[in-house]
Amino acid sequence: MSQKNQTLGEFIIENQTSFKYSSGELSRLINSIRLAAKVVNYEVNKAGLVDILGTAGQINTQGESQQKLDVYAHEKFITMLTNRNIVCGIASEEEEDFMVINSADQKHQNKYVVLIDPLDGSSNIDVNVSVGTIFSIYRRVTPVGAAVTIDDFLQKGTRQVAAGYIIYGTSTMLVYPTGHGVNGFTLNPAIGTFYLSHPNMKFPKKGSIYSVNEGNYIHFPQGIKDYIKHCQKEEDERPYTSRYIGSLVSDFHRNMIKGGIYLYPQSSTYPKGKLRLLYECNPMAFIAEQANGKASDGFHRILDIKPHSLHQRIPFICGSASMVADVENFMKVAAN
Ligand code: AHM
Ligand code: MG
């Protein structure tokens, strides 16, 4: 029985059987993400010291040249997943192509592929605003024993076996669903242990927060403009509150706790939307649905969209179920 203050390590062991395909492999995978998260957290938290201790391009005390944090996070997650021999393939927002993972004694025996956005919202780091890591896990569709192919990565979001995010905020949290609700674990940085702090997280059905970059308003589709105007009208329980951090994980996290909606529609700069279906939208949609929320491109359920390319972008609307349903209605009316 999961209980508050249980450590993430204890929780993983106890809940191993609650995954769709119960196997020690998946638990080991979550374990290595947990470890990489701690390493990246350490680096993110001292980001402000970079200008004091040395600038990018310089050689640090270990003789390594300093890198941008998103590249650093990418390398840490890849190393952690590769060294432990638990995945057969990885795709990262930081790399053009997917990676085939195999070691001489492994012979492509592993079953899982991981897709990762190692540091989402990294443009916020310079100004000390929360950023996050997003991950998504699928079972391969090609036979075990051969190298993975693009088909293993281009799966519908419904086929995810696990997904989650790490938020590097005022405290660092790892949030992931197990099939029995979404659980949030907070890192105690003094001893480097994640503890279950937010069991069974749920989006309130309705919310009063809308999160959107209103600077793009003029370019939004009519249905989104109508929805935003609807939020601003002083009727019933409205007006709503506008809160936009510009960091998906942070906006999502707040909206899940307080009730709200995140919108990144198509605009003139991003005619297909900005966010990536595989690295950002699918995992967040998976978490949202397991937390009673909803995720849509304005017309269709995100998890039902068949991806056609690794870095595909789509419009993304995600949050409290009744708010996302309202947006879909506005989109439908405007399209007719
Ligand atoms: P990134 O993957 O380059 O970090 O971009 C994704 C981020 C999201 O976290 C955030 O919600 C959005 O981009 C903000 O975009 P904008 O600055 O256009 O509002
Ligand atoms: Mg991103």
Side-chain angles (χ1 to χ4, degrees), residues 89-162:
I90 306 173
S92 162
E93 203 193 90
E94 295 291 329
E95 288 250 341
E96 204 43 47
D97 215 346
F98 65 87
M99 290 161 258
V100 177
I101 310 296
N102 189 40
S103 64
D105 56 332
Q106 278 285 303
K107 305 210 169 37
H108 304 285
Q109 288 301 312
N110 289 327
K111 295 192 287 289
Y112 295 102
V113 296
V114 174
L115 294 98
I116 191 154
D117 183 352
L119 211 56
D120 184 67
S122 51
S123 60
N124 284 307
I125 287 215
D126 294 352
V127 289
N128 214 349
V129 169
S130 307
V131 290
T133 296
I134 308 171
F135 62 90
S136 169
I137 303 172
Y138 294 82
R139 255 169 101 96
R140 62 185 301 171
V141 289
T142 53
V144 166
V148 285
T149 73
I150 186 76
D151 294 340
D152 294 307
F153 297 91
L154 299 185
Q155 300 190 51
K156 282 187 190 174
T158 44
R159 298 184 60 94
Q160 287 171 104
V161 290

Side-chain angles (χ1 to χ4, degrees), residues 93 117 119-124 212-213 216 244-249 251 262 264 270 274-276 280:
E93 203 193 90
D117 183 352
L119 211 56
D120 184 67
S122 51
S123 60
N124 284 307
V212 61
N213 185 342
N216 295 329
Y244 186 66
I245 299 169
S247 173
L248 171 63
V249 170
D251 280 310
Y262 172 96
Y264 210 110
Y270 298 107
K274 178 182 182 190
L275 301 187
R276 322 256 182 164
E280 290 156 335

